[in-house]
Amino acid sequence: MTDAILLSIIIPVYNVESYLPRCAESVFSQMTNECEVIFVDDGSTDDSGRICDNYASSMANVSVVHKKNGGLSSARNVGMKSASGQYLLFVDSDDYLLRNAIDDLLSIIVSYAPDIIKFDYTRILGDEGTDVSSPLKDGLYSSESELKELLHRSLRDEHSMILSAWSHVYNSRFIESNNLLFVSEREIGSEDYLFNLQAYLYASSIYHINRCLYAYVARDGSLTEIYRPKLYEKYTDLYKRIMSSFQSKDAYGLFSNDILHFYIWLVYAPVLQQELAIGRKENIRRVRRILRSHDFHDALEQYDSSTLSLKQKFLYSVMKHRLWIILYVIYLVKR
């Protein structure tokens, strides 16, 4: 690792020839000599790989790695291995950085050198942009109580806490010393949830920038927009890996109910919701199997629901007593 490079910007690329130039230009336009860009071409079959080669051959501190298709997690891991920077930023190739993002990040790196930097983002849908902010205040979180509270909130409300990898910057030595790698969403449903919950668990300092630095572009056909088979099995694997990580740090007792909360409401939405949305006989049968499954029912039995709202307590009771028909009626009424 060279001290000259403060920030390695890793851009996984797969069949995004129409979006890649916008992403790349948003990075190049604000790069400094303290940055490097690593494109990881994950076996693209369109012109994406050639576009990356052109950038790498014509610009300093820009490189490209070509590999067989292995998915987003695999591409990110290859990028981390190739990086020489003190910090790592992941940018999905159909998204882009907002103005002054790199300056803001470098300023925090130089001033605070935290293990992790968090920031907010703008969700782009068509021509509309909506700012999405976490409930955290701007500043450094480094005391034991602050870091515990951050983990607690992340497990209790993963959506508002924004656990996407692209909304964080990570200290390279911190990542390496804790052997952090991405596990494919093909296995666990969400590579970002596991990676960031482990990172938060191991971190000694996290800085939150209360400003949108990243543009997330919502596209039809993205993973968040399509039916995902075997999602229950994947999220159950994710739950077990999270439990194992917290147990290895002797932290499971402190966060056990938060982890159960994370799992139960992740199964409710999106797992059960996507099955109910289709509503065919096989989907309803799958809902009934999930409610009867050992892992989910055991989690419901162990969970302390006393702090839930009345609405959540009702839904929890419906799931605990396996009342699938009431879940279906609730879905139809809400729709």
Side-chain angles (χ1 to χ4, degrees):
M1 185 182 297
T2 172
D3 290 337
I5 300 296
L6 284 182
L7 183 63
S8 294
I9 302 163
I10 298 167
I11 306 178
V13 173
Y14 180 70
N15 288 355
V16 285
E17 61 182 5
S18 299
Y19 303 92
L20 184 55
R22 177 182 60 187
C23 173
E25 289 305 319
S26 78
V27 175
F28 297 153
S29 64
Q30 49 186 303
M31 269 182 69
T32 72
N33 292 333
E34 299 167 304
C35 302
E36 69 171 356
V37 173
I38 303 168
F39 292 103
V40 183
D41 173 27
D42 191 35
S44 296
T45 56
D46 66 358
D47 213 25
S48 298
R50 186 192 62 80
I51 294 172
C52 294
D53 287 334
N54 289 343
Y55 289 138
S57 64
S58 61
M59 301 187 66
N61 287 359
V62 176
S63 61
V64 56
V65 179
H66 297 281
K67 61 182 287 296
K68 291 182 179 179
N69 180 254
L72 179 59
S73 291
S74 171
R76 285 174 173 170
N77 290 336
V78 167
M80 287 196 291
K81 186 177 293 187
S82 305
S84 61
Q86 295 177 28
Y87 282 79
L88 307 172
L89 167 65
F90 299 98
V91 180
D92 287 356
S93 49
D94 48 357
D95 299 334
Y96 55 94
L97 294 184
L98 297 176
R99 186 177 301 175
N100 298 323
I102 290 178
D103 280 348
D104 285 356
L105 293 171
L106 292 177
S107 175
I108 299 303
I109 289 170
V110 171
S111 298
Y112 296 94
D115 290 335
I116 302 170
I117 303 171
K118 281 177 62 69
F119 49 86
D120 300 333
Y121 73 98
T122 299
R123 185 177 189 269
I124 307 295
L125 182 60
D127 296 327
E128 301 277 327
T130 304
D131 290 349
V132 181
S133 301
S134 85
L136 297 178
K137 294 180 180 179
D138 195 276
L140 184 68
Y141 296 74
S142 57
S143 72
E144 183 178 352
S145 61
E146 288 173 333
L147 293 169
K148 283 181 179 177
E149 177 61 18
L150 196 151
L151 253 180
H152 167 78
R153 295 173 78 166
S154 297
L155 287 162
R156 286 272 167 176
D157 191 1
E158 72 278 3
H159 297 298
S160 72
M161 286 295 291
I162 311 173
L163 294 182
S164 299
W166 42 253
S167 65
H168 296 74
V169 169
Y170 309 91
N171 181 290
S172 299
R173 287 195 175 93
F174 164 75
I175 293 295
E176 185 177 351
S177 64
N178 288 287
N179 299 311
L180 283 171
L181 290 170
F182 288 95
V183 178
S184 175
E185 65 86 26
R186 300 172 186 179
E187 298 179 44
I188 59 172
S190 171
E191 60 273 289
D192 291 1
Y193 284 165
L194 180 63
F195 188 88
N196 274 321
L197 288 171
Q198 289 176 329
Y200 288 6
L201 177 63
Y202 304 149
S204 298
S205 57
I206 299 174
Y207 194 102
H208 180 249
I209 301 174
N210 192 18
R211 194 170 84 76
C212 297
L213 306 185
Y214 188 97
Y216 164 71
V217 181
R219 292 195 290 133
D220 290 339
S222 69
L223 279 178
T224 56
E225 304 293 337
I226 59 177
Y227 176 79
R228 301 167 66 188
K230 295 191 178 296
L231 193 56
Y232 169 69
E233 290 79 5
K234 293 174 184 178
Y235 278 158
T236 298
D237 189 5
L238 170 64
Y239 160 64
K240 291 178 179 179
R241 289 174 187 252
I242 291 170
M243 273 200 303
S244 178
S245 296
F246 278 72
Q247 287 166 346
S248 71
K249 296 286 287 184
D250 294 324
Y252 181 71
L254 185 62
F255 294 100
S256 58
N257 207 58
D258 296 330
I259 295 170
L260 290 168
H261 180 98
F262 176 87
Y263 175 55
I264 288 167
W265 297 106
L266 202 59
V267 171
Y268 174 70
V271 177
L272 294 176
Q273 294 298 296
Q274 74 164 6
E275 301 293 347
L276 294 171
I278 297 174
R280 296 175 183 150
K281 287 183 179 180
E282 58 266 32
N283 300 101
I284 299 301
R285 283 196 295 267
R286 183 159 175 75
V287 169
R288 298 174 70 179
R289 283 197 301 270
I290 290 169
L291 294 176
R292 292 195 304 266
S293 67
H294 171 76
D295 289 310
F296 189 53
H297 192 66
D298 188 54
L300 289 164
E301 288 288 342
Q302 293 181 53
Y303 181 57
D304 177 4
S305 62
S306 60
T307 61
L308 295 180
S309 66
L310 287 176
K311 177 183 175 182
Q312 286 179 313
K313 283 180 179 178
F314 175 72
L315 289 171
Y316 162 74
S317 181
V318 167
M319 290 188 288
K320 185 177 179 180
H321 293 93
R322 305 171 181 174
L323 303 175
W324 66 269
I325 189 66
I326 295 180
L327 281 181
Y328 191 39
V329 170
I330 291 170
Y331 172 79
L332 292 176
V333 170
K334 287 173 62 177
R335 187 181 64 174

